[in-house]
Amino acid sequence: MALKVLSALDTAKTQYYHFKAIIIAGMGLFTDAYDLFCIPPIMKLIGRIYYEDEPNQEKQYETPAFVVSLLVGLALLGTVIGQLVFGRLGDLIGRRRVYGLSLMLMVLSSIGCGFSICRTRNCVLVTLGFFRFMLGIGIGGDYPLSATIMSEFANKKTRGSFIAAVFSMQGFGILVSSTVTMAVCSIFNAASKAQKKHTPEEADLVWRLILMFGAIPAAMTYYWRMMMPETARYTALVEQNVLQAEKDMEKMLDVSMSQIAEEYEVPPNPPSYPLFSKEFFRRHGRDLFSCATTWFLVDVVFYSSNLFQSQIYTAYLSKKENMNAYTEAFEVARVQALIAVCSTIPGYWATVSCIDRIGRVKIQMMGFLFMGLGLLAIGIPYYSIWDEDMEDKGKRFGFMFLYGLTFFFANFGPNTTTFIVPAELFPARFRSTCHGISGAAGKVGAIIGSVGFLWASHNKKEKGYPKAIGMTYSLVILAGVCFMGVVVTYFFTHGSNDKVLLRCFTNCSVQSHSSINEGAAA
C-alpha cells in the first residue's frame, strides 16, 4: 500500500509554504555568493591598506598573489569539509537538526572575518584566513541540506524549479555584495574627502563592515530554520515514523489529516544495504560518479572566471594612480554588479522557468557546450585581439559579451543542474550524504580552477605571478573541460532521461510497503 503522506507531497498544489521554504533555504546560498564575490574589491582595499609601502613598485597597492590564492583556497577547502561532514550528518541525525548549525556557523564566521582580531598585517591575514576557512565549512554544510530539504518539501510537478530557485539566491547574493560595497565605499569616500592615491585610516573599517554585513540576511532566517519541521520523507522513510510525518504535513501544507492518514500504521521496511556497500555501488555508483564528476568539471571552469575578470577590470577601471582606495573598490564592485544583472541572474532564472519543461539533462549538456564555445572564442584569439587594444570600444564590447555568455550558460546550465540532480537521484537515507560528496568534488574542482589556473594563466612574469602557459592555453583547456562535461552528462547521467530521473525520486510514493526502499526513491 502506498504511503499517502508522500503521495500528498508529490501532488500538493504550490502554496505559500513552498515560497517560504525557498527563501529560508536560499539564504545560505545567498551568503555563499555574497562572501565569495565581495572578496575582489576587499582584496583591493587590503592591498591599499597593508601593502601601500611595498618597495617593489609593480606590487605597490596590490595584495600579493599567494595571499589572494591562500584566502580563496582556504574558504573552498572549508567548503569541501563542510559538505562532507554536514551532508553525512543530515542523513544520520536529520536535516533540521543540523540545518541551523550550518547557518549559525556562517553568521559567526562572517562576523569573525570582519573583526579579524587585530590590525597588523600578518595578524589580520592569518585570522582572516582562519575565519574564511570556518565560513567555508558553514557554507559547505548548507549546500546538501538546502537542496535536500527543498527537494523533499516540493511537489513532483515543480520540484526542479523550486530547487533551482533556491540556488538562484546566489545571483542576488552577488548583486547585494556589489551594492553594499559600492554604498559603503561611496559613503566613506564622501565623508573622508580622500584624495587620489590616498588611503584614509578608516578604510580599514570599510572592508570589515562589508564582510560583516553578509551575516545579517543569514541571521534573519535562523529563527525560521529552527521552526521548520523535519521533512516528511525523512521522518517516514528514515526515522520510520509515519504518524509524525502526517502531523508535520498537516501543519506545513494545506491538507487535512483525513487525506494523509494511513489505513495501516505500519512503517516501510528498513533498508537492507548500507552506504558504500557493494549493493549501494551496484544501485547508485553510476549516479554518484556522474553527479560528482560533472560538478567537479563545471566548478573548475566556473571558479576560474577570475582568469578573465582581471582583464575586464583592467579595461573598465580607471588607472590606479587616479583612484583612491574607495573608488578602486567601488569600480570593481560596479563591474561585478553589471555582470550579475546582465548575465548571471538571467541565467539562474532561465533555469527556474525552463527546467521542468526542457529537463535537467538537456539544460546541463547545452550549458556545457555553449560555455566551451564561448571560452574558445575568447581564448584562441586572446593575444591577437582581446589583449592588444582593450581601449577599443568594439573589442571591449565583444569581449564583455562573450564573457557574459559563458556566465549565462554556466547558470542556465551545469552550475545549477549539478546542484539539483543529486537531490533527486538518491534514496532519502543517502540523499544528503551523496549530495555532499558530489558538492565536495565540485569544490575540489573550484580550488583547481580558482587557484591553479590563476597561476597558469600568465605568459610572462607580472604582478607577483611567474611565467606560465598563458591565457590562450588556459582558456582552451577550460573549453576542453566543458566538452568533457557534455560527454559525461550524456553517457552517465541517469539514463540521459529526465523521466527516469524523476521516477527515481518518486518511486517510493507509489510502491508498496514491502518494496518501498528498493528503488532509488524518496
Side-chain angles (χ1 to χ4, degrees), residues 22-31 103 106 169 217-218 221 225:
I22 289 171
I23 300 298
I24 295 171
M27 272 302 112
L29 294 155
F30 176 100
T31 304
L103 190 70
M106 292 162 64
M169 295 296 286
T221 58
R225 283 201 178 188

Side-chain angles (χ1 to χ4, degrees), residues 30 69 89 93 130 166 226 282 304 327 387 452 467 511:
F30 176 100
S69 300
L89 289 175
I93 64 177
F130 170 77
V166 169
M226 293 296 93
R282 185 183 73 81
S304 67
T327 53
D387 195 44
K467 181 180 179 180
Q511 289 180 354

